Amino acid sequence: MDELFYPMQIAGFEIVDNSDKGREANQRYTVRDYEDGKISFYCETIEVL
């Protein structure tokens, strides 16, 4: 995370499936803010509610 502020606003984010890149299980997905690039992290599973 870079340059966090409150209240945080995220205009949009993307979820990238890294399974074809041979990543470790805990890096299966990359979640990132595609507008400003302030948030980016890896995760093993994802659930969108």
Side-chain angles (χ1 to χ4, degrees), residues 2-14:
D2 187 29
E3 299 178 27
L4 295 180
F5 54 89
Y6 184 81
M8 179 184 286
Q9 294 180 343
I10 298 174
F13 65 93
E14 66 180 335

Side-chain angles (χ1 to χ4, degrees), residues 17-32:
D17 185 351
N18 298 318
S19 61
D20 62 341
K21 297 178 179 113
R23 298 273 177 102
E24 298 289 327
N26 63 351
Q27 293 182 348
R28 169 69 190 267
Y29 299 100
T30 303
V31 180
R32 61 184 170 209

Side-chain angles (χ1 to χ4, degrees), residues 25-26 28-29 31 41-47:
N26 63 351
R28 169 69 190 267
Y29 299 100
V31 180
F41 59 89
Y42 299 108
C43 56
E44 185 172 351
T45 61
I46 206 150
E47 180 179 0

Side-chain angles (χ1 to χ4, degrees), residues 1-4 10 12 31-41:
M1 294 186 188
D2 187 29
E3 299 178 27
L4 295 180
I10 298 174
V31 180
R32 61 184 170 209
D33 168 14
Y34 66 80
E35 287 285 320
D36 299 320
K38 294 187 184 288
I39 296 175
S40 179
F41 59 89

